[in-house]
Amino acid sequence: MSRFLPLTIRFINGGSMVVSSIADARKALEGSWKNKEAPDYLAASRLVDDAIAGICRPAVAFAAFKKAAAQQGLLKPVDPSAALSMLDQISSRDRKKPPG
């Protein structure tokens, strides 16, 4: 199955897991969510099952999973990578230099 950029999910019971595949998303959907009757949760669950069955593109199912997790406040914020932080520092120094 396809792999995606990892998401860290923090369940309402305090547990957490990293989700980077459709199989991971299926497992995460079985965890403690705020509202398993929410339309976005139900859509994500259906699409993840469809992706596992091969009748839905994994990217569509993963996007639905991410949306449902975000709407329920389960996505852990991602810190920028070390490389991106270094690029930001270099860029900010370049903007501070006077032209010359």
Side-chain angles (χ1 to χ4, degrees):
M1 291 191 190
S2 297
R3 303 235 350 128
F4 301 93
L5 291 176
L7 305 174
T8 300
I9 304 297
R10 284 209 175 135
F11 298 108
I12 60 170
N13 66 358
S16 66
M17 75 177 282
V18 175
V19 177
S20 62
S21 69
I22 293 300
D24 291 343
R26 167 51 38 223
K27 185 175 178 183
L29 286 164
E30 295 167 3
S32 299
W33 288 61
K34 290 179 182 177
N35 182 1
K36 289 190 175 185
E37 298 300 318
D40 287 322
Y41 174 90
L42 295 172
S45 184
R46 180 180 50 80
L47 289 169
V48 166
D49 287 343
D50 288 351
I52 291 169
I55 57 175
C56 174
R57 289 190 346 225
V60 171
F62 200 81
F65 170 81
K66 183 177 179 179
K67 178 181 177 185
Q71 287 188 333
Q72 293 199 29
L74 302 182
L75 283 183
K76 179 183 172 193
V78 178
D79 294 329
S81 69
L84 185 56
S85 295
M86 289 176 14
L87 183 60
D88 286 343
Q89 288 175 355
I90 291 169
S91 175
S92 67
R93 278 190 237 139
D94 288 346
R95 280 183 268 159
K96 292 178 184 175
K97 289 182 182 178

